[in-house]
């Protein structure tokens, strides 16, 4: 039997995070499913809630390219200066105000068996207690024949950057159930994420894996089963069940981005400096980002995704009244009000980034339909319903964009 919405809400706020103001989950409609509503006045700029994900995982290519993050909470592990040196390709790059870097290397710990790194003893213990006992490869960490390594390599061979999902998020779901004393509780929690029809699931898998997705999906399912089979969730390992699990992660996974350099820049912005010193520092930072763009492009952050139960209840709007961010430089998601929200009003976030929200109704609908399989009926879309499509002009502008450039769940500000 599925958990009630109140059960889910209690779990999210009581265990996975905490609400700063009163909110509640309600059923909206068969088309939209659940929604999150304010039960008291929420002021602009107020933190509505902070949530910890049920599971999170760094993207595999991101980790392979030496974006060093805590294996549990995704906190960036590099010092800001080290981060700048790697991203610019300049080993001698020096940052002013090094005291503003918040990375504490003295607190870092690794797993004594497989050597994966954590930002703290707390994260190492949390991972061990929830899923890492199952997933720890021990001394076989670099063995290409280890079942988990075969699974990860297969995933990297079919899902290239820019990444939007990770097979290891699914692996951590299974491992969590394997290690749990109360397996049914975790199965109920995972079952709360939105479900799609078989045809919709195929569309999501196709988007993630490309034209040959059916053969690739079967290969991944076989490797996934060899590495992780668990009787309590045996349905996840059937062809239909694995496709559903895949679609669940593809639809509900919230992008997470962390960066020690970004944290350092925010701290620099907060410094009280003389006008000349401020101008100098701002010019230095502007040039630093130009150097990074020239050497690395747009891939600045440690990136991954997580499953957030309460956040997943927030529906989309092209004129959102709330936004998500990761200001603590880890996987803790903050939802903040962009305007005053009245009691009884639905709390909506945007699945599109700022630039996408400024595009035509036709283009917004195209992105949302392809990636989330729904047609938006927010106030902005309804107001623009009679406007002519700018399809041809915008599709010309889109030429040359990466294939996955339109995927939502942006890596929100860190």
């Amino acid at each position: 039997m599925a958990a009630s919405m109140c059960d889910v809400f209690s779990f999210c706020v009581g265990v996975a995070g905490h609400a700063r103001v009163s909110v509640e989950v309600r059923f909206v409609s068969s088309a939209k499913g659940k929604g999150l509503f304010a039960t008291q006045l929420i002021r602009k700029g107020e933190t509505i809630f902070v949530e910890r994900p049920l599971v999170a995982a760094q993207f595999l290519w991101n980790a392979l390219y030496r974006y060093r993050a805590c294996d549990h909470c995704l906190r960036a592990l590099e010092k800001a200066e080290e981060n700048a040196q790697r991203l610019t390709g300049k080993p001698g790059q020096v940052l002013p105000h090094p005291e503003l870097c918040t990375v504490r290397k003295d607190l870092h710990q690794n797993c004594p068996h497989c050597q994966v790194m954590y930002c703290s003893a707390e994260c190492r213990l949390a991972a061990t207690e929830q899923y890492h006992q199952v997933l720890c490869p021990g001394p076989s960490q670099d063995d290409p024949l280890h079942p988990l390594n075969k699974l990860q390599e297969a995933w990297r061979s079919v899902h290239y950057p820019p990444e939007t999902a990770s097979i290891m998020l699914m692996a951590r779901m299974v491992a969590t159930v394997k290690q749990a004393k109360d397996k049914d509780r975790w199965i109920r929690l995972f079952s709360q994420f939105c479900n799609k029809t078989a045809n919709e699931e195929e569309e999501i898998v196709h988007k993630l894996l490309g034209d040959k997705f059916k053969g690739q999906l079967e290969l991944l399912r076989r490797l996934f089963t060899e590495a992780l089979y668990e009787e309590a969730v045996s349905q996840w390992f059937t062809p239909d069940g694995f496709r559903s699990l895949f679609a669940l992660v593809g639809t509900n996974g919230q992008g997470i981005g962390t960066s020690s350099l970004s944290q350092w820049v925010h701290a620099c912005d907060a410094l009280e400096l003389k006008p000349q010193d401020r101008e100098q520092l701002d010019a230095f930072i502007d040039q630093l980002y130009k150097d990074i763009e020239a050497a690395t492009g747009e891939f600045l952050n440690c990136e991954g995704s997580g499953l957030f139960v309460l956040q997943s209840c927030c529906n989309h709007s092209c004129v959102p009244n709330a936004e998500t961010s990761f200001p603590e430089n880890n996987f803790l998601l903050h939802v903040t009000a962009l305007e005053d929200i009245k009691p009884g009003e639905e709390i909506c976030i945007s699945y599109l980034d700022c630039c996408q929200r400024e595009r035509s109704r036709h283009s917004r609908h195209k992105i949302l339909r392809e990636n989330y399989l729904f047609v938006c009926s927010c106030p902005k879309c309804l107001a623009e319903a009679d406007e002519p499509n700018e399809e041809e002009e915008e599709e010309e502008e889109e030429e040359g964009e990466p294939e996955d450039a339109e995927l939502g769940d942006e890596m929100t500000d860190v």
Side-chain angles (χ1 to χ4, degrees), residues 83-211:
N83 194 199
Q85 290 168 351
R86 179 173 57 79
L87 293 176
T88 59
K90 298 179 179 179
Q93 178 71 63
V94 176
L95 298 185
H97 303 289
E99 73 281 359
L100 297 180
C101 177
T102 58
V103 174
R104 291 282 308 276
K105 288 199 168 189
D106 56 310
L107 298 180
H108 295 179
Q109 292 194 4
N110 58 10
C111 169
H113 307 294
C114 69
Q115 308 307 312
V116 297
M117 190 65 70
Y118 300 98
C119 67
S120 63
E122 290 78 12
C123 274
R124 182 179 63 80
L125 181 61
T128 300
E129 289 182 345
Q130 184 179 336
Y131 55 79
H132 190 64
Q133 293 175 55
V134 168
L135 297 179
C136 180
S140 301
Q141 171 76 351
D142 298 319
D143 180 1
L145 297 180
H146 188 280
L148 280 174
N149 289 336
K150 288 166 66 177
L151 176 65
Q152 292 178 76
E153 181 57 34
W155 174 257
R156 281 192 293 264
S157 72
V158 297
H159 189 66
Y160 293 95
E163 299 170 274
T164 57
S166 172
I167 195 78
M168 292 311 293
L169 198 62
M170 297 163 60
R172 289 188 178 183
M173 292 171 67
V174 174
T176 295
V177 173
K178 272 182 173 288
Q179 283 191 209
K181 292 180 180 177
D182 187 353
K183 298 181 188 301
D184 288 341
R185 172 174 172 267
W186 280 97
I187 294 170
R188 286 197 302 270
L189 287 166
F190 289 134
S191 73
Q192 292 303 308
F193 293 97
C194 69
N195 297 311
K196 300 291 183 182
T197 66
N199 286 339
E200 288 174 330
E201 288 173 353
E202 286 215 349
E203 286 188 51
I204 295 166
V205 176
H206 186 183
K207 183 71 178 178
L208 287 172
L209 298 184
D211 291 337

Side-chain angles (χ1 to χ4, degrees), residues 260-310:
S260 55
L261 180 61
S262 176
Q263 293 285 300
W264 175 82
V265 170
H266 286 320
C268 285
D269 289 342
L271 286 174
E272 294 184 5
L273 300 172
K274 296 176 181 177
Q276 184 179 354
D277 294 337
R278 167 56 60 193
E279 187 177 335
Q280 248 182 359
L281 182 57
D282 288 348
F284 173 85
I285 292 172
D286 288 344
Q287 185 59 50
L288 179 65
Y289 276 114
K290 288 177 183 176
D291 293 344
I292 289 173
E293 185 176 5
T296 312
E298 62 185 32
F299 299 104
L300 304 184
N301 298 337
C302 298
E303 295 181 355
S305 63
L307 294 178
F308 298 84
V309 182
L310 197 55

Side-chain angles (χ1 to χ4, degrees), residues 38 176 262 333 350 389:
T176 295
S262 176
L333 178 143
S350 179
N389 289 339

Side-chain angles (χ1 to χ4, degrees), residues 62 71 87:
N62 190 257
D71 198 59
L87 293 176

